[in-house]
Amino acid sequence: GQLDAAIELLERAAAGVAGNVTVNLNMAKALITKLERGGPDSDLVRQVRTYIDRGREVAPEDYRMVQLQTRLQRLIAQV
């Protein structure tokens, strides 16, 4: 539903502004939410890592990176 539509819009935005930390981290956050709702998916985990890495390249000290990484690790540990 709405989450998938949001992900689609964020994907388009991220493709257009690959160096924008906020867009990349919002994309990672949306994908993590999808994982939390739908269960494990190795492709989504890879995508999340890609967006977090892009954000880290631009703003390595951004506090949101730690929050997202923690949420992702929690999901991976549940598998």
Side-chain angles (χ1 to χ4, degrees):
Q2 290 182 350
L3 180 59
D4 288 331
I7 288 170
E8 186 177 321
L9 288 173
L10 284 166
E11 278 180 320
R12 283 191 236 149
V17 289
N20 184 300
V21 66
T22 298
V23 171
N24 282 295
L25 296 185
N26 282 343
M27 185 64 195
K29 183 178 179 181
L31 291 172
I32 288 171
T33 299
K34 185 172 182 161
L35 283 166
E36 289 169 342
R37 292 181 183 177
D41 181 321
S42 59
D43 289 333
L44 283 181
V45 168
R46 269 193 295 278
Q47 288 178 33
V48 170
R49 287 185 173 142
T50 296
Y51 287 109
I52 290 174
D53 288 345
R54 285 182 187 172
R56 186 176 290 120
E57 287 175 17
V58 179
E61 301 301 321
D62 193 305
Y63 70 94
R64 296 172 292 180
M65 221 89 58
V66 174
Q67 294 171 341
L68 292 171
Q69 194 67 45
T70 300
R71 283 177 68 189
L72 181 61
Q73 291 305 321
R74 210 175 303 133
L75 285 169
I76 292 170
Q78 292 175 1
V79 176

